[in-house]
């Protein structure tokens, strides 16, 4: 087995920017999804190519929002990419607009077999599915686990994917190991299980892989919750990996970056609904390339 400190999933060479397909929704108002992924990955010197899975007036925590499902356009969208000969170094998927969109990501995986695959199975939190997610969509998401180079569920999403009952955020190490073993057994190459919280002021993320030792990486916990932290975490994690960092350091960096962004967010208007404010901290991501 290999330690996470010894696992490098992307080797950065030369001045050519790595190109990433970001398969996420786009919100007009509210900090999440493509509104997070594009600036964060761009700060790490990546060429971000959006594949919009849906368009929202605002994210789903707002009491009123309009959603436009983009499923019908995605095949033609990717056909045009193929005709242009576009190449990809990574495929990063998150929130989906329909169960049918899983086939869009599987198509990308087939057409770009050498691309790094990060799957953030955005389906819910706190033991509940998001408002736009159906049982059919959650079942379809299981098809993205096999072959993923990095899978980044929270405890709710891990429970949905594995069928292991959700037991809250304060769970013992044995439960974490069981649920991660189940995800690895479904074909994920490396799993990062996010957001385990005990009564000690720390938040824990766990790393394990088919060839990587089980490891806990902890950091300080903020005393409040914010929308968009999962998207920021996964985007920052991928940014660090594409900057050439090893898996352990990328996980630790992403956790501290989210903590830092949360520290300044309460100074912003409407932060409780709008979500995490990270923009003034993007220099820390750019510094990964130094």
């Amino acid at each position: 087995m290999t330690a996470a400190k010894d696992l490098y999933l992307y080797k950065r060479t030369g001045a050519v920017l790595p190109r990433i397909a970001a398969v996420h929704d786009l919100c007009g108002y509210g900090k999440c999804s493509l509104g997070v992924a594009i600036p964060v990955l761009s700060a790490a010197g990546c060429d971000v190519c959006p594949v919009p899975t849906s368009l929202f007036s605002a994210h789903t925590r707002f009491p009123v929002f309009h959603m436009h499902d983009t499923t019908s356009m995605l095949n033609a969208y990717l056909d045009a990419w193929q005709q242009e000969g576009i190449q990809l170094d990574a495929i990063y998927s998150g929130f989906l607009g329909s169960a049918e969109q899983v086939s869009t990501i599987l198509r990308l995986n087939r057409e770009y077999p050498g691309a790094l695959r990060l799957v953030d199975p955005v389906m819910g939190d706190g033991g509940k599915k998001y408002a736009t997610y159906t049982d059919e969509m959650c079942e379809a998401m299981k098809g993205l686990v096999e072959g993923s180079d990095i899978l980044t569920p929270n405890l709710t999403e891990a429970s949905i994917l594995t069928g292991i009952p959700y037991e809250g955020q304060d769970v013992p190490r044995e439960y974490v190991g069981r649920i991660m073993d189940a995800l690895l057994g479904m074909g994920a190459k490396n799993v990062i299980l996010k957001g385990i919280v005990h009564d000690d002021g720390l938040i824990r993320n766990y790393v394990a892989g088919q060839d990587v030792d089980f490891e806990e990486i902890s950091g300080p916990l903020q005393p409040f919750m914010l929308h968009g932290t999962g998207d920021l975490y996964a985007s920052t994690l991928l940014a660090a990996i594409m900057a050439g960092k090893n898996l352990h350091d990328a996980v630790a960096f992403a956790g501290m970056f989210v903590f830092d962004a949360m520290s300044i967010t309460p100074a912003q208007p409407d932060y409780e609904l709008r979500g995490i404010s990270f923009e003034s901290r993007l220099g820390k991501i750019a510094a990964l390339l130094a």
Side-chain angles (χ1 to χ4, degrees):
M1 298 291 281
T2 301
K5 284 188 175 181
D6 297 323
L7 181 62
Y8 294 82
L9 292 169
Y10 183 78
K11 184 178 181 181
R12 188 77 175 243
T13 57
V16 177
L17 303 182
R19 185 172 294 131
I20 302 171
V23 191
H24 294 258
D25 64 295
L26 177 63
C27 288
Y29 192 78
K31 297 171 182 284
C32 59
S33 306
L34 285 174
V36 171
I38 293 172
V40 166
L41 291 166
S42 296
C46 297
D47 178 6
V48 187
C49 303
V51 181
T53 58
S54 51
L55 305 177
F56 283 86
S57 59
H59 64 63
T60 59
R61 280 198 63 189
F62 283 87
V64 177
F65 62 86
H66 174 72
M67 174 187 175
H68 174 71
D69 179 359
T70 62
T71 302
S72 62
M73 63 168 267
L74 292 180
N75 273 329
Y77 191 101
L78 297 185
D79 287 345
W81 279 17
Q82 283 295 302
Q83 291 172 39
E84 291 293 340
I86 291 170
Q87 297 301 310
L88 297 175
D89 297 290
I91 300 164
Y92 169 29
S93 62
F95 184 96
L96 302 184
S98 69
E100 291 80 10
Q101 289 181 357
V102 169
S103 65
T104 300
I105 301 169
L106 294 175
R107 172 182 171 174
L108 283 168
N109 294 342
R110 289 192 305 270
E111 293 178 345
Y112 302 95
L116 179 72
R117 294 164 54 186
L118 189 151
V119 176
D120 189 19
V122 180
M123 295 182 285
D125 204 358
K128 297 179 180 179
K129 299 193 301 291
Y130 291 134
T132 61
Y133 264 69
T134 63
D135 290 342
E136 179 190 12
M137 289 177 68
C138 292
E139 185 65 27
M141 287 288 281
K142 295 178 183 180
L144 299 180
V145 174
E146 184 174 4
S148 57
D149 292 291
I150 313 165
L151 183 73
T152 60
N154 60 32
L155 284 162
T156 299
E157 293 152 354
S159 172
I160 292 170
L161 290 171
T162 62
I164 296 172
Y166 174 76
E167 296 182 2
Q169 301 299 120
D170 184 358
V171 291
R173 191 180 179 95
E174 293 75 19
Y175 176 90
V176 171
R178 181 159 61 97
I179 210 163
M180 293 184 80
D181 284 346
L183 292 167
L184 293 170
M186 292 171 66
K189 297 177 184 177
N190 300 284
V191 177
I192 298 159
L193 187 62
K194 305 177 297 186
I196 290 80
V197 176
H198 305 313
D199 189 20
D200 59 1
L202 297 176
I203 186 168
R204 292 165 170 81
N205 299 311
Y206 288 86
V207 180
Q210 293 180 0
D211 300 307
V212 176
D213 293 326
F214 181 82
E215 181 180 358
E216 174 189 306
I217 301 174
S218 62
L221 173 68
Q222 294 283 10
F224 56 93
M225 299 291 290
L226 283 175
H227 190 83
T229 54
D231 291 334
L232 183 60
Y233 181 89
S235 298
T236 305
L237 172 73
L238 184 57
I241 288 169
M242 301 307 287
K245 303 304 179 185
N246 64 58
L247 185 60
H248 174 279
D249 289 351
V251 169
F253 177 82
M256 284 307 302
F257 187 84
V258 172
F259 178 86
D260 188 30
M262 290 181 73
S263 297
I264 62 169
T265 298
Q268 312 308 316
D270 302 321
Y271 78 91
E272 291 163 312
L273 262 183
R274 189 152 192 242
I276 189 164
S277 296
F278 59 89
E279 292 85 350
S280 65
R281 296 298 188 261
L282 287 174
K284 293 187 174 185
I285 294 176
L288 293 170
L289 299 174

